[in-house]
Amino acid sequence: MTDNIDASPPRTPMGRVAFASFVGALLEWYDFFVFGTASAVAFGPLFFPNQNPLNGIMGAFAIFGVGFLARPLGGVVFGHIGDRIGRKAGLIMTLLIIGLGTFLIGLLPTWHQAGIAAPILLLVLRLVQGFGLGGEYAGAALITIEHAPEGRRGFWGGMPQAAASAGILLATLVFALLDGLPKSEFLAWGWRVPFLISIAFTLIGLFIRLNLLETPDFKKLQQQGMSDVPPLAQLLRDHPGNIMLAFGARLAETISSNIINAFGIAYIVSQLAMNRSVGLNAMMVASLIGIPMCPVFGALSDRFGRRAVYLGGAGFMAAFSYPFFLLLGTKSVAIIWLAFILAYNLGPTMMFAVEATFFSELFGAGTRYTGLSIAYQVSAIIGGFMPLIGTWFIKLDGGQPWLIAAFLLGISVLSFVCAMAARRVTDKSPSRHWYPARVL
């Protein structure tokens, strides 16, 4: 009787995997970016009405940032689940947590209805969102990358990354459609709509993800036998250098993304005194372009290497940190659109598109979910507070953006250096591409 232990595990067809990963990640990024957009345009007067407008925005951005504190915890918890129980289990759990948390935000009372309890409840649900997203990123990436054929992992790995742009687009589009409401109506009920409709998206994503097979790489890991060492301890023991380098490399992507998106929209409204639709529409167009750019950048990484593409994004962001704010300062709608399109797509999108594939190659299969989660989510803390930090820099600089531009330049240079130093730890032989990992 033939022993099938080494037979290739069954695979879900790549088109179905990519679609399931993209749709599920899109819905969860939508949930997350809805909160960021609402922080910029609604949460100040709703939950901090006794503050001046700028301080109200800072209060809303503080809660936006606090959600990022829960993400490393979610990364550890779901990293353990993903590396020991399976990638699919982590994906389904994170979807339910984020979807339910977002829906409940749409039901919250405001300050005028519940007083101090309102921002406290908002904070709690924001932490729930952050905890769930802490495990979503790695799961959505690995379910695709580990199904993909050798030599095409960059292209397929860019598919779920495109969900970030799609999530921004969807969140921004919903708010743009509500922009026609009178301000009183928008603050009375309109802001709730983007949160409440997320329950339908959650059910759709759950149905799609339940029909996925586990990844071939994880099945091979099960056949070879799991380590008795917890994934986090194994990660810190085997790959301490790469985890720190991945953290540093990722800073430019997360900081630039949050500066361009949430902070950029708020800056246009609060400092340039322009209608919020200018920033919303610019971000909507930029994110629309970003959707097809992710697999394009991923394909380029298959040809020229993950590091080369990542360095291109970090280098551009360093060079464009000052010009971005100079272009916004023209107050020309067309130029503002150009600034958002260039900054978002040649900066964070170029890095984000190859990030999951690049970082996953820095860790072994038994710690990959945990390693990818930790590198991504710990660095996300700083990125999550960037709208608040940026607003504080604006106050220190007398309304000018040059301190935040200098900060962005410095971080981009740091990430460029870290990406240069990171080294792939897997064997280059195709038959041993993912097993075992070598220590950096």
Side-chain angles (χ1 to χ4, degrees):
M1 187 173 185
T2 303
D3 187 354
N4 291 326
I5 190 70
D6 293 324
S8 296
R11 295 172 179 261
T12 306
M14 277 311 303
R16 191 190 307 169
V17 171
F19 179 72
S21 182
F22 176 86
V23 172
L26 180 153
L27 301 181
E28 298 195 20
W29 280 111
Y30 164 83
D31 290 348
F32 203 73
F33 282 118
V34 157
F35 196 104
T37 305
S39 297
V41 302
F43 282 168
L46 289 171
F47 292 93
F48 302 96
N50 298 325
Q51 304 292 324
N52 67 51
L54 188 59
N55 287 340
I57 290 175
M58 290 182 69
F61 280 152
I63 292 181
F64 176 78
V66 165
F68 285 78
L69 296 176
R71 288 169 67 162
L73 177 60
V76 171
V77 171
F78 292 109
H80 186 92
I81 292 171
D83 282 328
R84 288 295 178 265
I85 299 176
R87 318 307 197 200
K88 179 178 174 180
L91 276 178
I92 292 172
M93 292 180 188
T94 56
L95 177 69
L96 290 173
I97 290 171
I98 298 176
L100 182 60
T102 304
F103 176 74
L104 291 176
I105 289 173
L107 299 177
L108 282 180
T110 63
W111 178 279
H112 293 299
Q113 296 166 323
I116 190 64
I120 291 175
L121 289 172
L122 181 65
L123 173 62
V124 170
L125 291 177
R126 174 60 175 163
L127 290 171
V128 170
Q129 270 192 325
F131 179 74
L133 192 57
E136 160 62 25
Y137 168 82
L142 291 180
I143 202 78
T144 304
I145 293 169
E146 292 185 345
H147 267 99
E150 180 69 24
R152 296 282 285 167
R153 282 181 159 164
F155 170 76
W156 289 110
M159 291 295 187
Q161 304 301 80
S165 294
I168 295 177
L169 173 64
L170 189 57
T172 308
L173 177 60
V174 172
F175 274 100
L177 291 175
L178 294 168
D179 194 52
L181 289 174
K183 184 176 181 180
S184 60
E185 293 293 311
F186 177 76
L187 293 179
W189 60 267
W191 70 273
R192 299 181 184 275
V193 174
F195 294 94
L196 295 177
I197 63 177
S198 70
I199 194 65
F201 299 157
T202 301
L203 294 175
I204 294 170
L206 181 63
F207 172 78
I208 293 172
R209 288 188 169 183
L210 283 171
N211 288 284
L212 285 179
L213 294 175
E214 188 53 81
T215 72
D217 284 11
F218 185 77
K219 289 182 178 180
K220 289 180 183 178
L221 188 64
Q222 287 179 312
Q223 291 175 351
Q224 293 177 352
M226 298 289 187
S227 171
D228 293 331
V229 181
L232 179 60
Q234 189 178 349
L235 176 73
L236 296 176
R237 180 195 68 191
D238 294 346
H239 309 301
N242 269 359
I243 195 69
M244 293 303 297
L245 291 172
F247 166 79
R250 204 251 161 174
L251 287 176
E253 181 267 305
T254 182
I255 286 174
S256 63
S257 179
N258 281 285
I259 286 177
I260 295 165
N261 182 23
F263 176 76
I265 294 173
Y267 176 79
I268 288 172
V269 174
S270 63
Q271 299 304 308
L272 301 182
M274 300 180 73
N275 191 286
R276 66 174 179 262
S277 64
V278 175
L280 288 171
N281 290 337
M283 194 64 236
M284 187 165 58
V285 173
S287 56
L288 178 63
I289 295 172
I291 296 172
M293 291 309 298
C294 278
V296 168
F297 289 137
L300 288 175
S301 79
D302 286 327
R303 182 173 178 83
F304 300 106
R306 327 289 185 218
R307 180 181 288 104
V309 176
Y310 200 91
L311 291 175
F316 176 85
M317 206 63 255
F320 202 64
S321 54
Y322 279 87
F324 175 68
F325 287 101
L326 287 171
L327 294 176
L328 296 188
T330 65
K331 295 188 177 183
S332 164
V333 173
I335 293 177
I336 288 174
W337 278 37
L338 177 65
F340 271 82
I341 291 169
L342 291 177
Y344 181 73
N345 287 290
L346 297 181
T349 296
M350 182 179 288
M351 291 181 276
F352 190 68
V354 302
E355 189 174 75
T357 314
F358 181 24
F359 291 175
S360 69
E361 292 172 348
L362 304 181
F363 311 109
T367 61
R368 190 171 297 134
Y369 202 124
T370 302
L372 196 53
S373 294
I374 295 299
Y376 184 85
Q377 305 304 350
V378 174
S379 59
I381 294 175
I382 301 175
F385 279 101
M386 278 317 302
L388 175 62
I389 294 171
T391 305
W392 179 61
F393 277 152
I394 290 292
K395 290 185 70 174
L396 287 179
D397 207 13
Q400 298 300 312
W402 311 128
L403 282 177
I404 188 67
F407 182 80
L408 178 57
L409 170 61
I411 290 295
S412 298
V413 171
L414 172 64
S415 291
F416 189 96
V417 173
C418 288
M420 281 288 292
R423 289 293 177 267
R424 182 172 173 169
V425 300
T426 50
D427 194 290
K428 294 184 178 180
S429 170
S431 63
R432 294 171 59 83
H433 183 74
W434 297 91
Y435 309 97
R438 294 199 302 269
V439 179
L440 178 68

